Amino acid sequence: MTRFIPLAAALLAASVFGSAHAADPTPPTAWYWHNWTDHDGVSHMTRCPFHDYDLKTMSKPAGPQWQDHVHEGNAHIISTVQPAHWDGSWHPDPKVQWIIPLKGSWYVTAMDGKKVVMGPGDVSLGEDQMSRRDAKGHIGHFAGNIGDGPVTLMVIQTDEQPTVDKPCRFH
């Protein structure tokens, strides 16, 4: 398993669980949605666990916290605000990227028809770059906003290479 950069790890950990604390010796399990592609080029959404936590400090003298190091390498961190009623149409993710809603709700629909609605506290891994256009012209995923307001997302684009047939590869 590869390791994760500290800033992105802190954002991710803060958004996926808040009930586990350092006094509890049992490592937590947190969840993310993985938009992955199978060998036929069809994208899917699968709920996946983070569960390889170590209890340690990120920076002394701060107390220990549960950390699951997922990736180490280059990353681009983008804050994006999608206007009200934003329509993402069918498209693959531009990079293997973590997407964390900060304000508002949005949805992702995979090519297999599974639709997942996410809001603040949810995490999604977009990895559908290897999808192939189907008979309906769909490729990747369809995304859009829920409700009448804008949606603010934190996007962490990684240098990971996209994979095929590896749902939940970051666990």
Side-chain angles (χ1 to χ4, degrees), residues 7 15 22 27 45 76-77 84 87 90 111 119 123 126 141 149 157 170:
L7 174 60
S15 68
M45 293 292 288
H76 290 92
I77 300 172
D87 175 352
W90 285 98
M111 293 170 68
V123 175
H141 63 280
Q157 293 182 332
F170 293 109

Side-chain angles (χ1 to χ4, degrees), residues 85-145:
H85 308 287
W86 179 80
D87 175 352
S89 298
W90 285 98
H91 68 282
D93 288 299
K95 302 254 185 194
V96 176
Q97 60 189 16
W98 294 97
I99 306 161
I100 305 165
L102 301 176
K103 183 178 179 187
S105 295
W106 71 306
Y107 66 88
V108 173
T109 303
M111 293 170 68
D112 68 2
K114 182 160 187 153
K115 179 179 181 177
V116 175
V117 175
M118 292 168 271
D122 292 321
V123 175
S124 175
L125 174 63
E127 187 182 15
D128 60 0
Q129 294 81 12
M130 305 303 286
S131 60
R132 294 190 297 267
R133 196 166 305 280
D134 66 13
K136 297 176 185 174
H138 300 165
I139 187 169
H141 63 280
F142 190 96
N145 291 357

Side-chain angles (χ1 to χ4, degrees), residues 137-162:
H138 300 165
I139 187 169
H141 63 280
F142 190 96
N145 291 357
I146 303 290
D148 293 326
V151 175
T152 303
L153 304 171
M154 179 68 66
V155 179
I156 303 165
Q157 293 182 332
T158 73
D159 60 357
E160 293 284 341
Q161 293 300 308

Side-chain angles (χ1 to χ4, degrees), residues 3 9 13 17 28 52-59 63-69:
R3 301 286 122 194
F17 69 92
D52 190 19
Y53 287 98
D54 293 316
L55 186 61
K56 59 185 177 181
T57 185
M58 216 178 262
S59 179
Q65 57 187 308
W66 292 105
Q67 299 175 40
D68 184 353
H69 290 263

